[in-house]
Amino acid sequence: VFSIGRTPVRCWATDSAGNTSSVAFTVTVRGAGGQVADLAERIDRLPAETALGLRRQVVDVRRLLRQGELAKAYGRLAELRSAVASAEFGAGARQPERGADDHE
């Protein structure tokens, strides 16, 4: 479990033949507000007819966050992430979410 922010990670492995390898990457964990902002930017790149309903969901998640209804907000945020990814795939507009060394 990582805290909100960026955490560098480096992993090493050695197999039974003595071969070794390593990889380094950064795990970036964003708070709910940052995630909603990222999703809103991705929605803006979608066709207008697709984006309209998703924008309404963004407004709903922001409202729930402001009201402190965190469990509902996080549930809706998860649904919104899925809906945006599906819309991007359907529109052929899938964009990288972050740099090659960043993983969430």
Side-chain angles (χ1 to χ4, degrees):
V1 176
F2 294 97
S3 301
I4 291 176
R6 295 173 59 91
T7 304
V9 177
R10 185 165 187 95
C11 301
W12 294 268
T14 303
D15 67 15
S16 58
N19 299 309
T20 62
S21 185
S22 67
V23 65
F25 55 93
T26 301
V27 174
T28 303
V29 177
R30 308 251 350 234
Q35 292 178 50
V36 173
D38 289 345
L39 289 169
E41 288 176 20
R42 289 167 56 191
I43 290 167
D44 287 343
R45 294 191 296 264
L46 292 169
E49 65 276 3
T50 303
L52 182 60
L54 295 171
R55 285 189 185 108
R56 289 185 187 129
Q57 291 180 50
V58 167
V59 169
D60 187 44
V61 171
R62 285 180 172 152
R63 177 187 55 79
L64 290 169
L65 288 169
R66 276 193 312 275
Q67 293 173 343
E69 296 185 50
L70 301 182
K72 274 187 187 178
Y74 295 147
R76 299 265 173 84
L77 182 56
E79 293 169 5
L80 180 58
R81 271 195 306 268
S82 269
V84 170
S86 292
E88 288 172 330
F89 182 79
R94 187 80 175 123
Q95 300 288 324
E97 296 179 29
R98 56 195 53 82
D101 68 337
D102 291 345
H103 303 277
E104 198 165 325

